[in-house]
């Protein structure tokens, strides 16, 4: 039991309270018009990219399989528009790399109806078949991590799941997609939770939401099943409450052991939008081909939540949202963990929950100063690492010491340390680089 | 309609940042010191003010010169040199010769800061380095105290203040005898305690109506100024708290052994301990950053202060205690690394 729980507060220790900027939370989800072309990256999730099964010039329908999974930690990809395959090319991604993508030119005159799948009788499917069905729909964690959902659902044999945690925290500032889904798709969500419970063979689920979403609490309560197999609880609004470890601690007072999965202590954790989409699509036998994206920030005439086909180029989204600025940062994801895109041609992916346009906001000036050992970063790191020391070691390129003595690999890039650092040291950046180099070294 | 392609800026996450930045923090520390400057002026007159101006200017000039010399962008705009200058002046006797103050400022920045590589790299609190140097070089001047609230303090300097460089400062004893009204002996409460076994009144210590160094006498004012910084989250309250705690338990401990030794309250209120705890020990760069380390550091400083005060030859013990604590910081940190989330409990 942790110390904060002792005082009856549902939260975790450390973390930060950034301004919320969630102006779009009352905006109903609207459909974005189809772009003239979509750019579908083959690798949109953690794991191996999918293998294309279409060729240039081929006609495809919206919802048709265009690339199949390559191994277990990989998911298939479906066409997000009806149209003609323009090619399979290397394109620029938000990460700044060039990766393979299938480009489809949209047949704007067609009805763009999603291909009907096989109706799927959830009640009578076995656990294995359900997980297979989730895999077949190309589902990944939509909260941002984009980890293949079927992998997460395949619980190791020696683990027994006692509780499913449904993550509705959405702690990143600006983003409101989960919030909208929890208001607009309650039936889908409940059905998705039921499916997840069956997949991981667990008796109960808890939906965890941050205290800034009280309307969700009121809206969902009447729909919960009477047997209290699904409950909803409110936790403190604090970043990074939406991280799996932090949510487990806030709701149950347990710590997920370092270097272990939640299943090690009998938990399985899914994002609300992921489950709502499973609840919506799986019974129809349909695949994941679009997602809700919060489009928000500065210089936009129509910010809001949009249903966006996967692979839509940023330019199209900004165009429709009425971007009027001359200079901006374009961020895919939230402001804490997102990535800035270098071009309007960068496409959205399954993991893109937000498109954020910022003109020079809240920067402290770009001067990086030496660490003044103010200990702010230690006081906010939710993992209780020593970011100051890690930062100094990174500057000296002692990446191995960082890993062996200072638990570098427990850092999950939440960015709290960089957020508070008065010296503007790009700590998370250092840690990401160090982790990447260490991985390469170990190979 | 297609939008015109904007100029696209690229940065790395996180894209929002919390203020304050280092210069903002430093500026606020300066603000917090201003009431103490004013108080010392009211208390000791223009001599104190002149001393503050001289040390501060000396620190800024030294920092600027060294930056020029190293062909770097000058770092005086981050205000840390100003703080060092102010802090140094606060710990000196009000009649301290100005030229010595200037030397102290130079040494503080040159040897306490620049030598280690500037802000962020100093092992010791630079102001304390400067003071330790002055203590060694000018043992007499630094322990010559003059009375407070002298009638002419706003128009007349204390004679020693204007001593010429490398000259022995004028004797102040005679002047002191002239201006002092109530049998002032030139001794601070700590010296009275140590050498004459007179324990001063705690209330006087609290409000700062006793003599002592320029800015160290009023516990109340120091607490208010420190409180402001703590409130603005620009000062880590744990450090002063730990130092005070360490001092209190050590004082009580020695009092048990030797009932002649003063109690905790006197130890906390006298001899610049409060000032040192709030403004000196909390120098972020030279104190530990780990939660347990901060506590260990504070208690160590408190303990050493009491020990030196009771058994050492000097009275201004807290300065040396902090310097020692600064030196021990890397060691303290090495065995107080925080336990991470999810570490297996065994
Ligand atoms: S990015 Fe890593 S080191 Fe920084 S606060 Fe988050 S977990 Fe801690
Ligand atoms: S927040 Fe920045 S300046 Fe402060 S201790 Fe951490 S790394 Fe150093």
């Amino acid at each position: 039991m942790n110390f904060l729980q002792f005082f009856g507060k549902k939260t975790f220790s450390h973390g930060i309270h950034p301004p919320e900027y969630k102006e779009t939370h009352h905006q109903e989800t609207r459909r974005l018009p189809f772009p003239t072309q979509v750019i579908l990256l083959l690798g949109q999730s953690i794991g191996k990219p999918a293998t294309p099964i279409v060729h240039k010039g081929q006609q495809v329908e919206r919802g048709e399989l265009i690339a199949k999974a390559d191994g277990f930690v990989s998911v298939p990809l479906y066409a997000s528009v009806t149209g003609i395959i323009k090619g399979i090319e290397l394109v620029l991604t938000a990460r700044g790399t060039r990766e393979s993508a299938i480009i489809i030119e949209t047949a704007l005159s067609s009805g763009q109806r999603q291909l009907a799948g096989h109706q799927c009788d959830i009640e009578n499917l076995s656990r294995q078949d359900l997980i297979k069905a989730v895999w077949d729909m190309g589902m990944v964690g939509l909260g941002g991590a984009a980890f293949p959902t079927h992998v997460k659902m395949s619980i190791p044999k020696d683990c027994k799941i006692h509780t499913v945690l449904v993550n509705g925290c959405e702690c990143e500032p600006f983003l409101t997609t989960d919030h909208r889904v929890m208001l607009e798709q309650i039936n889908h969500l409940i059905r998705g939770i039921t499916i997840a419970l069956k997949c991981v063979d667990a008796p109960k689920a808890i939906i965890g939401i941050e205290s800034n979403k009280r309307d969700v609490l009121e809206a969902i309560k009447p729909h919960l099943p009477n047997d209290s197999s699904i409950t909803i609880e409110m936790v403190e609004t604090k970043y990074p409450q939406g991280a799996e470890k932090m949510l487990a601690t806030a709701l149950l007072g347990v710590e997920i052991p370092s270097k272990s999965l939640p299943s090690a202590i009998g938990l399985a954790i899914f994002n609300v939008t992921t489950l709502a989409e499973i609840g919506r699509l799986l019974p129809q036998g349909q695949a994941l081909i679009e997602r809700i994206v919060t489009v928000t920030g500065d210089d936009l005439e129509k910010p809001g939540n949009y249903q966006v086909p996967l692979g839509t180029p940023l330019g199209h989204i900004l165009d429709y949202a009425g971007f009027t600025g001359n200079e901006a940062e374009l961020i895919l994801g939230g402001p804490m963990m997102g990535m800035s895109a270098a071009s309007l041609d960068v496409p959205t992916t399954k993991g893109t929950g937000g498109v954020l346009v910022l003109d020079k906001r809240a920067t402290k000036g770009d001067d990086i100063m030496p660490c003044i050992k103010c200990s702010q970063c230690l006081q906010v790191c939710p993992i209780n690492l020593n970011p100051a020391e890690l930062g100094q070691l990174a500057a000296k390129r002692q990446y191995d010491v960082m890993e062996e003595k200072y638990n570098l690999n427990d850092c999950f890039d939440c960015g709290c340390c960089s957020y508070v650092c008065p010296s503007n040291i790009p700590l998370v950046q250092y840690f990401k680089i160090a982790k990447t180099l260490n991985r390469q070294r170990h190979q | 309609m297609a939008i015109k392609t904007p100029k696209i800026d690229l940065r790395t996450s996180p894209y929002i940042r919390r203020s304050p930045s280092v210069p903002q923090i430093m500026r606020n520390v300066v603000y917090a010191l201003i009431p103490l400057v004013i108080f010392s002026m009211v208390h000791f007159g223009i001599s104190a003010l002149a001393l503050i101006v001289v040390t501060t200017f000396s620190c800024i000039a030294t920092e600027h010169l060294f930056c020029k010399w190293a062909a770097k962008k000058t770092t005086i705009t981050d205000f840390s040199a100003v703080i060092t200058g102010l802090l140094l002046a606060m710990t000196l006797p009000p009649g301290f010769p100005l030229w010595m103050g200037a030397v102290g400022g130079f040494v503080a920045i040159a040897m306490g800061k620049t030598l280690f590589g500037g802000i962020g790299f100093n092992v010791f609190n630079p102001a304390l380095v400067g003071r330790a140097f002055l203590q060694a070089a000018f043992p007499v001047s630094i322990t010559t105290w003059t009375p407070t609230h002298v009638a002419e303090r706003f128009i007349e300097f204390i004679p020693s203040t204007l001593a010429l460089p490398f000259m022995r400062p004028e004797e102040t004893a005679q002047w002191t005898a002239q201006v002092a009204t109530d049998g002032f002996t030139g001794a601070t409460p700590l010296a009275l305690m140590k050498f004459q076994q007179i324990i001063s009144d705690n209330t006087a210590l609290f409000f700062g109506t006793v003599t002592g160094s320029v800015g160290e006498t009023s516990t109340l004012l120091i607490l208010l100024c420190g409180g402001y910084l703590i409130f603005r989250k620009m000062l880590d309250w744990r450090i002063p708290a730990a130092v005070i705690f360490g001092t209190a338990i050590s004082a009580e401990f020695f009092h048990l052994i030797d009932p002649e030794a003063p109690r905790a309250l006197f130890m906390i209120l006298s001899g610049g301990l409060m000032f040192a705890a709030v403004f000196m020990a909390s120098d972020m760069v030279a104190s530990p950053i780990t939660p347990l380390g901060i506590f260990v550091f504070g208690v160590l400083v408190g303990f050493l202060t009491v020990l030196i005060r009771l058994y050492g030859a000097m009275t201004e013990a807290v300065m040396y205690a902090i310097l020692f604590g600064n030196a021990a910081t890397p060691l303290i940190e090495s065995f107080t690394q925080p336990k991470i989330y999810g570490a297996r409990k065994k």
Side-chain angles (χ1 to χ4, degrees):
Chain A
M1 167 152 277
N2 100 10
F3 155 86
L4 294 155
Q5 300 256 318
F6 184 76
F7 291 103
K9 227 176 167 185
K10 290 213 174 292
T11 189
F12 60 98
S13 43
H14 297 182
I16 55 175
H17 294 276
E20 294 182 18
Y21 301 117
K22 294 196 187 260
E23 289 100 10
T24 55
H25 75 90
H26 53 267
Q27 304 228 0
E28 270 176 44
T29 311
R30 287 169 286 173
R31 183 167 282 284
L32 192 80
F34 287 96
T36 50
Q37 67 170 27
V38 291
I39 303 163
L40 291 155
L41 288 169
L42 291 171
Q44 302 201 11
S45 67
I46 291 177
K48 280 193 164 174
T51 316
I53 56 164
V54 288
H55 55 82
K56 193 171 167 180
Q58 186 178 336
Q59 187 124 16
V60 289
E61 265 189 80
R62 186 157 172 260
E64 189 179 327
L65 182 70
I66 52 173
K68 60 182 199 319
D70 177 17
F72 183 60
V73 188
S74 175
V75 290
L77 186 63
Y78 297 81
S80 58
V81 294
T82 298
I84 294 172
I85 306 282
K86 223 175 119 187
I88 301 173
E89 295 168 17
L90 287 179
V91 300
L92 188 68
T93 69
R95 258 176 295 169
T97 52
R98 290 193 172 271
E99 289 172 29
S100 288
I102 298 176
I103 302 175
I104 309 175
E105 199 165 280
T106 317
L108 287 169
S109 54
S110 87
Q112 295 293 349
R113 287 208 11 204
Q114 184 166 3
L115 207 63
H118 303 287
Q119 297 276 333
C120 168
D121 180 9
I122 302 166
E123 298 300 317
N124 295 321
L125 278 185
S126 73
R127 201 178 141 193
Q128 259 64 39
D129 290 342
L130 262 183
I131 295 178
K132 178 77 174 47
V134 169
W135 187 3
D136 284 342
M137 64 191 282
M139 192 47 103
V140 303
L142 299 178
F147 188 75
T149 307
H150 69 279
V151 180
K152 217 178 199 183
M153 286 177 162
S154 309
I155 303 296
K157 284 228 164 41
D158 51 345
C159 295
K160 175 85 188 94
I161 302 300
H162 59 75
T163 312
V164 167
L165 301 184
V166 185
N167 191 345
C169 293
E170 197 165 51
C171 56
E172 276 265 12
F174 289 98
L175 304 191
T176 56
T177 60
D178 289 347
H179 195 160
R180 285 321 299 175
V181 166
M182 287 189 284
L183 291 174
E184 294 168 6
Q185 303 199 39
I186 297 177
N187 288 328
H188 295 152
L189 174 61
I190 302 289
R191 197 181 311 143
I193 296 175
T194 318
I195 295 172
L197 283 174
K198 195 163 173 192
C199 287
V200 301
D201 192 21
K204 69 175 200 302
I206 305 172
I207 307 172
I209 55 166
E210 281 191 323
S211 54
N212 58 2
K213 300 179 190 60
R214 194 169 285 275
D215 50 343
V216 170
L217 189 79
E218 308 299 330
I220 288 188
K221 268 218 168 123
H223 296 264
L224 296 175
N226 297 327
D227 58 2
S228 64
S229 58
I230 305 176
T231 50
I232 181 163
E233 288 198 44
M234 224 152 61
V235 295
E236 199 196 320
T237 304
K238 185 160 88 171
Y239 180 87
Q241 182 64 75
E244 292 194 338
K245 290 181 172 181
M246 276 60 251
L247 185 65
T249 303
L251 284 175
L252 303 172
V254 293
E255 285 193 4
I256 299 171
S258 164
K259 300 182 186 65
S260 313
L261 293 172
S263 57
I265 54 166
L267 297 176
I269 306 174
F270 301 98
N271 163 268
V272 274
T273 303
T274 311
L275 294 188
E277 288 290 286
I278 290 177
R280 178 169 75 96
L281 299 168
L282 194 112
Q284 319 290 334
Q286 287 180 328
L288 178 72
I289 55 168
E290 55 189 9
R291 66 157 300 154
I292 305 182
V293 178
T294 301
V295 182
T296 184
D298 306 314
D299 303 328
L300 291 174
E301 282 165 0
K302 288 184 285 177
N305 290 296
Y306 292 98
Q307 186 81 18
V308 177
L310 295 180
T312 302
L314 280 182
H316 178 74
I317 297 175
L318 293 189
D319 197 1
Y320 187 74
F323 175 70
T324 54
N326 301 318
E327 179 173 356
E329 280 173 323
L330 310 175
I331 295 148
L332 290 179
M336 294 301 298
M337 293 179 75
M339 275 176 283
S340 37
S343 147
L344 290 177
D345 296 329
V346 169
T348 61
T349 66
K350 292 175 181 177
T352 309
V355 171
L356 196 57
V357 187
L358 295 183
D359 60 14
K360 299 267 175 226
R361 179 192 293 253
T363 48
K364 293 183 238 181
D366 298 320
D367 283 352
I368 297 177
M369 295 191 57
C371 168
I372 58 162
K373 319 231 166 52
C374 66
S375 89
Q376 291 286 333
C377 50
L378 280 94
Q379 292 175 50
V380 297
C381 177
I383 301 295
N384 215 9
L385 298 170
N386 186 341
E389 185 70 44
L390 282 167
Q392 310 238 304
L393 289 169
K396 289 186 260 172
R397 295 172 202 271
Q398 299 188 358
Y399 302 128
D400 44 343
V401 184
M402 293 168 74
E403 181 175 320
E404 282 148 28
K405 277 183 71 185
Y406 292 93
N407 303 296
L408 173 66
N409 288 341
D410 283 84
C411 164
F412 66 103
D413 305 336
C414 70
C416 291
C417 48
S418 296
Y419 176 76
V420 295
C421 179
S423 288
N424 259 325
I425 303 172
L427 295 162
V428 208
Q429 222 46 43
Y430 287 173
F431 305 159
K432 284 187 192 167
I433 294 168
K435 278 185 273 190
T436 311
L437 291 177
N438 277 346
R439 258 198 307 276
Q440 287 169 0
R441 204 162 40 91
H442 293 322
Q443 269 167 10
Chain B
M1 169 207 77
I3 53 165
K4 104 173 165 302
T5 306
K7 179 172 177 295
I8 298 175
D9 299 324
L10 285 178
R11 261 194 311 155
T12 53
S13 67
Y15 299 94
I16 49 175
R17 293 286 180 95
R18 183 172 83 184
S19 51
S21 61
V22 172
Q24 279 169 320
I25 294 179
M26 297 297 171
R27 204 163 344 141
N28 274 280
V29 175
V30 174
Y31 296 159
L33 287 168
I34 287 175
L36 290 174
V37 170
I38 296 173
F39 178 81
S40 64
M41 241 180 76
V42 175
H43 214 50
F44 298 110
I46 48 173
S47 298
L49 182 67
L51 183 61
I52 293 168
V53 170
V54 165
T55 54
T56 308
F57 185 76
S58 164
C59 285
I60 297 175
T62 310
E63 176 129 336
H64 190 68
L65 275 179
F66 273 98
C67 285
K68 275 270 133 69
W69 192 34
K72 282 194 308 188
K73 205 173 125 215
T74 182
T75 48
I76 55 174
T77 46
D78 68 19
F79 280 89
S80 58
V82 179
I83 297 177
T84 302
L86 288 175
L87 290 180
L88 176 64
M90 294 295 165
T91 63
L92 298 173
F96 196 68
L98 295 181
W99 74 269
M100 294 181 185
V103 171
F106 174 81
V107 171
I109 296 292
M111 288 174 58
K113 191 170 170 193
T114 318
L115 197 65
F116 292 101
I119 186 170
F121 299 100
N122 47 304
V123 174
F124 301 103
N125 182 332
L128 287 182
V129 173
R131 181 156 200 302
F133 173 83
L134 293 177
Q135 176 101 41
F138 313 112
V140 175
S141 294
I142 210 160
T143 47
T144 306
W145 313 92
T146 51
T148 63
H149 296 104
V150 175
E152 250 84 71
R153 65 187 184 281
F154 295 120
I155 44 173
E156 192 184 272
F157 284 102
I158 300 169
S160 53
T161 298
L162 297 175
L164 290 174
F166 308 108
M167 292 298 192
R168 270 183 79 86
E170 226 172 295
E171 270 300 325
T172 51
Q174 208 190 347
W175 177 82
T176 300
Q178 253 174 40
V179 293
T181 43
D182 50 358
F184 179 83
T185 55
T188 61
L190 257 190
L192 287 176
M193 174 279 284
K194 192 162 173 62
F195 306 115
Q196 297 169 34
Q197 281 79 43
I198 301 171
I199 304 280
S200 304
D201 176 27
N202 283 335
T203 325
L205 290 171
F206 186 72
F207 290 105
T209 50
V210 295
T211 194
S213 299
V214 170
E216 292 180 340
T217 52
S218 174
T219 306
L220 176 67
L221 201 58
I222 291 162
L223 283 178
L224 287 178
C225 296
Y228 164 77
L229 288 177
I230 290 169
F231 175 73
R232 297 286 314 266
K233 294 219 168 70
M234 292 171 177
L235 183 104
D236 194 339
W237 63 272
R238 296 172 297 176
I239 295 178
V243 173
I244 293 167
F245 174 76
T247 309
I249 52 162
S250 312
E252 288 297 315
F253 172 74
F254 286 111
H255 180 76
L256 273 184
I257 300 177
D258 172 14
E260 290 281 281
R263 307 287 303 249
L265 199 56
F266 173 80
M267 278 297 192
I268 292 169
L269 296 179
S270 65
L273 183 107
M274 209 38 119
F275 182 80
V278 174
F279 288 103
M280 290 285 194
S282 58
D283 177 317
M284 295 160 174
V285 182
S287 61
I289 51 175
T290 58
L292 183 61
I294 288 172
F295 181 74
V296 172
F297 171 83
V299 171
L300 178 73
V301 169
F303 174 77
L304 287 175
T305 305
V306 174
L307 193 72
I308 303 175
R309 277 185 183 177
L310 294 176
Y311 302 105
M314 322 154 286
T315 54
E316 295 283 301
V318 61
M319 307 292 156
Y320 288 93
I322 294 175
L323 284 173
F324 187 84
N326 290 162
T329 290
L331 181 70
I332 295 174
E333 272 182 4
S334 72
F335 67 81
T336 55
Q337 286 301 321
K339 199 177 101 232
I340 66 160
Y341 174 102
R344 264 164 249 258
K345 288 164 202 135
K346 274 259 158 72

